[in-house]
Amino acid sequence: MTRFAQIAALVAAVAFAHGCSTLQAGNDAEPTHRWERSNTTMAEYNYDNTSCAEESAIPLRGVATMTEAFRRYQHCMESRGYAWTTLLP
């Protein structure tokens, strides 16, 4: 398995385990947002998420949403048809 494939597999597992969501601060954090796109498989999401994160040079977890890097990531995901949605409490 290539280094890229290993990293991609790890990223996919982390994204799946965390519900593809942004978390609130704190130890008992709950998801506050997520990316949505109709008729998208987890494999498609993982590929798009990983690609956009790499292109934007952001970590997949713990990124502040008000940064230039996040805006680049958000633009990338939106250009692929995803919508950033808020999860209601």
Side-chain angles (χ1 to χ4, degrees):
M1 184 179 258
T2 67
R3 177 124 173 100
F4 178 77
Q6 290 172 332
I7 292 170
L10 176 62
V11 168
V14 169
F16 184 76
H18 288 97
C20 312
S21 304
T22 297
L23 302 176
Q24 296 173 347
N27 292 336
D28 296 328
E30 293 293 326
T32 60
H33 296 80
R34 72 172 171 226
W35 290 107
E36 293 183 342
R37 183 176 76 175
S38 298
N39 302 317
T40 301
T41 66
M42 183 56 73
E44 291 169 322
Y45 167 81
N46 288 337
Y47 176 80
D48 292 336
N49 185 51
T50 301
S51 296
C52 288
E54 287 176 355
E55 289 173 24
S56 305
I58 66 165
L60 288 177
R61 182 175 162 90
V63 65
T65 59
M66 294 287 125
T67 63
E68 184 59 33
F70 182 80
R71 287 197 244 335
R72 288 190 307 268
Y73 167 74
Q74 185 176 26
H75 176 73
C76 180
M77 290 295 282
E78 288 172 347
S79 73
R80 294 172 186 229
Y82 291 88
W84 183 241
T85 59
T86 302
L87 300 174
L88 300 175

